[in-house]
Amino acid sequence: MKVDPQPIRRRVHRLPREQRTADIMEMARTVFCEKGYGEAVISEIAQRLGVVEGTIYRYFPSKRDLLTAVASDWYEQMLSDYDQQLEGLRGTWNRLRFMVWRHLTVIHDDPAMCRLVMGELRVLPEYRKTPVYELNRAYTQRTLAIIEDGMASGEFRLDVPLQVVRDMIYGGVEHHTWAFLRGVGDFSPDEAADSIVDIIYRGLANPESASDVADTNGQAIHRLEKVTKRLERLAKSPGAPQ
């Protein structure tokens, strides 16, 4: 009696869960940024990855959950970069300027992700319960920590609420870049950072410290003037070298 051969089983290559999750989020970010959240569909993300749609839902229960994960990963990468860059910076103005400049640069270089976060996640009633909200707080806290250090050292005045300073910085940035995010015009992160930080720094500067600096500068100028006059007298004297 002839025995039928055993059916050949197709070997399925399964990626580790972490790798599969990372691949899904990377492709989802591409599709979300290309099409916008409303027009993006899970089936296209799956098709580009070469998997069935159900695979996506095994890792992310909904499209909104997937967007939240993508935005959270985006924030975590930025925070890691901020911390590395800040380690090598000294001086309150330099550190504050870096934070504002970096934020402006993110908006300039990655407007699609910024639109997704601002237009799709921050408007949700449950936004404050999402990990994106906590990461955004950590994001702005880096800047507030610089302000607090300036207050502690006496460089900045103590009578300005930190929340007001935060709102002035980030609200000012968003207002300045809103037209750009709508696709109208352009802006320079360098020029905008200089202007914003100059206004904030001058507004926070401790008047007593500023007076001390002015006094010190005045004394230095006075000494230079005396030295200059003395050199001029020596130059005019009969025995001065020609």
Side-chain angles (χ1 to χ4, degrees), residues 3-224:
V3 180
D4 292 334
Q6 293 291 327
I8 298 175
R9 294 183 178 179
R10 187 162 58 100
R11 177 175 292 180
V12 179
H13 178 64
R14 297 184 182 277
L15 293 174
R17 184 176 182 84
E18 290 184 1
Q19 182 62 55
R20 176 67 77 189
T21 301
D23 290 346
I24 292 172
M25 288 197 299
E26 182 179 358
M27 185 57 69
R29 175 173 172 174
T30 299
V31 175
F32 285 145
C33 289
E34 285 180 4
K35 297 181 174 293
Y37 179 76
E39 297 298 322
V41 291
I42 295 296
S43 59
E44 180 174 354
I45 297 171
Q47 182 181 15
R48 293 196 190 188
L49 282 170
V51 300
V52 297
E53 189 173 346
T55 299
I56 308 292
Y57 287 112
R58 282 204 299 269
Y59 293 86
F60 302 96
S62 69
K63 187 169 76 166
R64 183 72 66 185
D65 290 323
L66 180 52
L67 176 61
T68 300
V70 168
S72 297
D73 182 66
W74 181 62
Y75 266 106
E76 288 170 355
Q77 291 178 22
M78 285 192 294
L79 289 172
S80 176
D81 177 68
Y82 278 26
D83 291 339
Q84 291 178 12
Q85 297 293 328
L86 279 173
E87 285 184 3
L89 289 176
R90 296 292 179 269
T92 303
W93 195 94
N94 291 331
R95 291 167 65 82
L96 184 60
R97 198 263 186 190
F98 169 77
M99 292 300 296
V100 175
W101 171 82
R102 191 69 180 85
H103 185 58
L104 286 159
T105 302
V106 167
I107 295 174
H108 191 268
D109 294 349
D110 204 352
M113 273 302 302
C114 293
R115 284 193 290 267
L116 287 168
V117 172
M118 295 178 186
E120 298 294 340
L121 294 178
R122 281 177 26 181
V123 298
L124 296 175
E126 65 272 19
Y127 170 63
R128 287 177 174 267
K129 298 179 182 179
T130 66
V132 176
Y133 171 72
E134 294 300 330
L135 286 165
N136 185 66
R137 287 189 62 190
Y139 183 89
T140 58
Q141 184 57 42
R142 264 63 172 183
T143 301
L144 293 184
I146 296 170
I147 304 297
E148 288 178 319
D149 289 344
M151 290 178 170
S153 68
E155 189 173 355
F156 288 157
R157 47 196 284 194
L158 301 174
D159 59 339
V160 181
L162 286 173
Q163 288 185 345
V164 172
V165 179
R166 178 200 62 196
D167 293 346
M168 289 179 66
I169 293 173
Y170 290 100
V173 167
E174 289 189 17
H175 187 79
H176 182 71
T177 60
W178 184 240
F180 170 79
L181 289 173
R182 290 189 290 110
V184 180
D186 198 358
F187 71 94
S188 166
D190 287 298
E191 293 178 4
D194 287 340
S195 298
I196 292 171
V197 174
D198 186 57
I199 292 169
I200 296 297
Y201 189 92
R202 288 174 181 271
L204 289 173
N206 188 337
E208 295 181 1
S209 297
S211 298
D212 292 341
V213 172
D215 291 343
T216 301
N217 289 339
Q219 292 171 8
I221 292 172
H222 181 65
R223 286 196 298 270
L224 286 172

